[in-house]
Amino acid sequence: MSPRIFLYLAFAGCAQSQAVHFQWVQQIGGSQGQSIAGVGTDSQGNTYVVGNTASLDLPVKGAVQSKPGGSGLFIVAGPGKAQNLFNAGLAGVGVLANDPSNAQGLFASDGQTLERTRDGGATWTAVSSFTTVLSSIAVDPSAPNVLYAATFGGGVFKSTDSGATFTSIDNGIPPSSSDGKFYAYGVWVDPRQSNVVFANTYVGLVRSSDAGASWQVVVPASDLYSSGTVSFDPTTPGVVYLGGVGAVRKSTDDGVTWTALPGPPNQQFYPNFVLPDPSHPGTIYAGGFSGLYKSTDGGNTWVVKLAQTGIYGLKFDANGVIYYATFSAVYASTDGLDTVTQVGPSFASVTTIATVGARLFVGTQGSGDVFVSKLDAQGNVVYATYFGGSALDQAQAMAVDSSGAVYVTGVTGSSDFPVSQNAYAKSGASFLFKLNTDGSLNYSTYFAPVATTPSGLAVDAAGSAYIAGPTQGNLPTTAGAYQTQLKGNAAVCCSIGPSPPPVTNGFLTKFSPDGSSLVFSTYLGSQFLDVNTVGLRPNGEAILTAGNQLFRMSADGGSLLNSGSFAGTIYTLMVDPAGNIFVGGSTLIPHFPVTAGAFQTAVHPGANYNTGAGFVTRFDEQFNVVASTLLAGENGDTTLALASAPNGNVLAAGATSSESFPLRGPAQGAFAAATGFVAELTPDLTSAVFSTFAGDTRKFNVRGVAPTPDGGVVFGGATNNVPYYSLFGLGNNLAPDGSQAFVVKAVLQPAMPRIDSVVNAASQLGVALAPGETFVVGGVGFGDDASLWLNGTQVPLISHSGTSLTAAVPTDLQVSGSVVVTVQSGGNTSNGFLARFLVSSPGIFSADGSGFGQGYILNADGTLNSPNNPAAEGTEITIYATGVGHLSFDNGYAVTDTTPVVAIDSFGAPGIAAVFGPVQGFAGNVYQISVYIPHPADFAADNPNLKDFKMPPTVPVFLTVNGITSQYGLTLSVQ
């Protein structure tokens, strides 16, 4: 199936007449990856989307910031200033190499693509790409068309056509003994003898005296870091330096032999970089994991210039200025590091630096910006903008006020984050900004120093923003605040084991409507309190949550009115216009407190509570439970977003790994092992208006949901971005490369009949359909004339009731990836349920029909296997299943295109035979496979310690066909 199933749903759903369908789908962002922090709507039906992007090609429109604040490559232009070279198209840069033939030439790479500039970074051209990670490039100074490349996993390569093509030159470099691959971390060409080439490899430093035709190991890997670099003394021919383990190594014979120089006394010495001074013979600088050092006597003695700080680059420019890079900044010195000045802004993560003439280039692992997009009621972009500086900026929460202004808060590492003239603070490590309804900037301000993380945001009717989250101190507080000091005692750490967590309190801060001042700001709690959400009641009281705790603060921030705790971890909070308090999250407690008549009072009988069960709970102001329901299946679910619909209903969304997640009038089934869900519940949480899976064949989770004035719902999420649990609770990490954000508009069109579920007849789970599979369609309104259709083709019914239809997928059904299931009854057509379609989707029948527990398995004597009638090890059993896919026959026995494999307690069960046909008590034709239970010696064979192990009464049983495995929780009773 195409991974762009969302787009298919947008069109397929429009033809359906009832339940929920997806009206439109909008992909948000560029090519490098996006995540969603929140979604909001206004009374005109516009949708606002806030998230984080690593993309340099975000499609902007009417932007307040049209270009990314960060990228993988910068030119430092002076103190606090840098030119962002996003035009190179490199989101992260780990390789920079000068072109000796061009005073304005430089190569840059993100590890895959090699780019080149000949004009000092103004324009860039793609040179080549690598299938393994490029770790270093070197250019032959006497023949600029000759390039050498070191790669992580591919070894050393050489190009003689300016990098257009590369040829492996690993002759003499042995591969890794573990995987047979060649690992090279750096490559260098001697500027005086270009036939001499060095490479830092898995086996150590290797040297070639014939331009890479052959290699010899000259320094073993035990004396060398993978990040150790080679440098050539510009004043003395034949002198070469090498950064290594515990010492700087020096060669006076052009790298044939090496001597370790003494390190600084009583100092840890990890010199990755060695830099000879071109203007002062005998002066050498060394930098690495432990700091920065200087020697004026050829490396015999050293002076510590910077201690306990990692060094990520060390270079001279053409004017004799020395630069060094730390993790997040670059510094310059004109007096041999006696005094230093930071140049450029803060960066996300510096990887390397290079100088071209007097210009300094800085490569970083890549940063990220906040993005804000506004869509009209039809999903068209009204405006889309970047917002951020040169380092990593991450939106954590958003809100939309009644005018359509959008507020965003989060954390930043950027010293050049865009702030307005009236900003409350001009520096900090967190931020709050507001965009007007047309996308123009209303205000933007820093907030608190490092270790304060705004993770919740709410806005009152006057336009004052409230932010809340965890803080480790230095919080700006106001007079009359409930708590003006950080409370708690730092634990005394011992020398063994992990360090204890820092003291962390919650905080609540209210800004003035123009963002220029604080109305109040207070700490909350003591020792370790992880506040992650905030909501406002109509009377101005603030509700906050932290883990399983709830707090109610007075409208002036001066007192804590009450608090409470709950049997679940809260990830999302919603206070409706009437002041009712709703929370959602995940619980590990088997007996979660649901209320009578709740939409879902129990989970699947095979549920694994260790993975968490989703829930929605309503409280009164004293935090007494008014209503509570589960939203969960068998294998891990989390409610991540809540919103209030105009009619008082509750919108809930999140992530699920369950195939038994409760559905009502859904648009689709699950297409991935981890996917999203969206539901609308009545205010008393007793019923669902609709509930559906959401997502394609990639991992997907829904992080924001909001109502539309026409009774619809918009929701947003990102692919490949599973819920991220940080130290401070559930946050929004920067999306990994390739993750894409989607916003979907869903509408509800009630009618009869209605499909609620499509499940495998054996497993009773909402797995994929497959040729020949017996499946059950559940729902309502299936009259006596009901008919079942797959992609517009009627399928004969095996059984029929008002709420259930059973049929078998035709073995000759020709579809690719998905199939639309519909029911016709009484002249009406149901909602179209989009189901995944695979070559096989096996399910094993259970004894009680639940799909869980004791399997419907016959012992060798034909009796039903059970704890009271176990089968002996080594004897024959017969397993009953459906969904095994296409069948052919050999001597009367049924086989599949891929031989099925039965595993009993993780051990393969030797097959005997298989047949396919009707079985009394089961619908349709049933796949019956006979196998031998593994012999006791087989169970013990893989572990000598288990030779005396007695088998438990029941063991798990699985059937795997075409790499697809049957349900978990199905068991066999073994004697």
Side-chain angles (χ1 to χ4, degrees), residues 62 120 145 180 190 284 329 359 379 417 466-467 473 506 546-547 581 585 630 760 959:
N145 62 310
D190 190 321
I284 311 168
R359 310 183 82 184
F417 190 85
Y466 299 67
I467 61 174
I581 302 164
L630 291 163
N760 180 288
L959 174 64

Side-chain angles (χ1 to χ4, degrees), residues 860-935:
D861 60 0
T863 58
L864 185 64
N865 180 269
S866 71
N868 295 325
N869 186 32
E873 295 171 346
T875 62
E876 178 183 342
I877 57 170
T878 302
I879 296 169
Y880 293 77
T882 189
V884 296
H886 286 288
L887 295 174
S888 57
F889 290 86
D890 183 10
N891 294 325
Y893 292 107
V895 297
T896 60
D897 291 344
T898 299
T899 302
V901 176
V902 173
I904 298 176
D905 198 29
S906 76
F907 294 91
I912 300 173
V915 295
F916 184 74
V919 175
Q920 186 174 2
F922 293 122
N925 287 327
V926 178
Y927 183 71
Q928 306 154 56
I929 182 169
S930 299
V931 299
Y932 290 113
I933 300 175
H935 189 274

Side-chain angles (χ1 to χ4, degrees), residues 38 196 315 422 534 600:
V196 176
K315 293 288 183 181
N422 65 332
V534 62
Q600 185 184 2

Side-chain angles (χ1 to χ4, degrees), residues 27-31 34 53 55-63 66 372-373 381 383-386:
Q27 183 173 331
I28 304 291
S31 59
Q34 285 68 230
T53 180
S55 297
L56 306 180
D57 55 356
L58 183 81
V60 297
K61 180 179 180 180
S66 61
V372 183
S373 293
V381 176
Y383 71 74
T385 184
Y386 288 101

Side-chain angles (χ1 to χ4, degrees), residues 513-694:
D514 64 358
S516 64
S517 61
L518 304 183
V519 178
F520 68 76
S521 185
T522 181
Y523 287 98
L524 176 66
S526 64
Q527 200 61 41
F528 191 82
L529 187 67
D530 184 4
V531 169
N532 62 340
T533 68
V534 62
L536 299 176
R537 306 189 75 218
N539 61 4
E541 295 173 350
I543 307 298
L544 300 93
T545 67
N548 69 335
Q549 301 179 73
L550 300 99
F551 304 88
R552 181 165 64 104
M553 297 290 298
S554 62
D556 62 1
S559 58
L560 176 64
L561 301 179
N562 62 283
S563 61
S565 60
F566 186 59
T569 301
I570 299 168
Y571 294 130
T572 181
L573 164 73
M574 182 268 290
V575 182
D576 71 12
N580 298 304
I581 302 164
F582 293 84
V583 299
S586 184
T587 179
L588 300 177
I589 300 174
H591 303 293
F592 180 79
V594 295
T595 50
F599 166 62
Q600 185 184 2
T601 58
V603 294
H604 187 276
N608 178 6
Y609 266 96
N610 290 327
T611 58
F615 67 85
V616 177
T617 299
R618 176 180 170 182
F619 297 96
D620 63 19
E621 66 177 15
Q622 297 300 320
F623 301 134
N624 299 307
V625 174
V626 176
S628 186
T629 184
L630 291 163
L631 271 182
E634 83 287 354
N635 196 38
D637 321 271
T638 305
T639 304
L640 297 173
L642 293 173
S644 178
N647 61 3
N649 285 346
V650 179
L651 305 178
T656 178
S657 297
S658 296
E659 292 167 333
S660 63
F661 190 86
L663 305 177
R664 290 293 182 274
Q668 65 166 98
F671 281 75
T675 193
F677 73 83
V678 183
E680 181 175 345
L681 306 172
T682 54
D684 58 6
L685 305 183
T686 60
S687 61
V689 178
F690 77 86
S691 176
T692 183
F693 287 109

Side-chain angles (χ1 to χ4, degrees), residues 88-158:
L90 301 173
V93 170
V95 177
L96 291 175
N98 293 84
D99 181 353
S101 67
N102 184 346
Q104 295 294 311
L106 186 71
F107 291 90
S109 176
D110 58 2
Q112 300 294 321
T113 302
L114 181 63
E115 299 274 341
R116 180 178 192 171
T117 180
R118 299 176 186 271
D119 52 16
T123 60
W124 294 83
T125 303
V127 177
S128 57
S129 60
F130 291 81
T131 57
T132 54
V133 177
L134 178 65
S135 52
S136 179
I137 282 286
V139 184
D140 186 336
S142 63
N145 62 310
V146 176
L147 278 67
Y148 295 88
T151 68
F152 190 76
V156 185
F157 294 83
K158 182 177 181 179

Side-chain angles (χ1 to χ4, degrees), residues 19 39 118 121 162 199 235 337 342 442 461 539 560 592 614 650 665 694 714 729 748 768 784 812 944 965 970 972:
V39 172
R118 299 176 186 271
S162 300
T235 63
L337 298 181
Q342 181 176 344
N442 186 292
N539 61 4
L560 176 64
F592 180 79
V650 179
V714 292
L748 190 69
D784 292 340
D812 59 353
T965 301
L970 205 287
L972 166 72

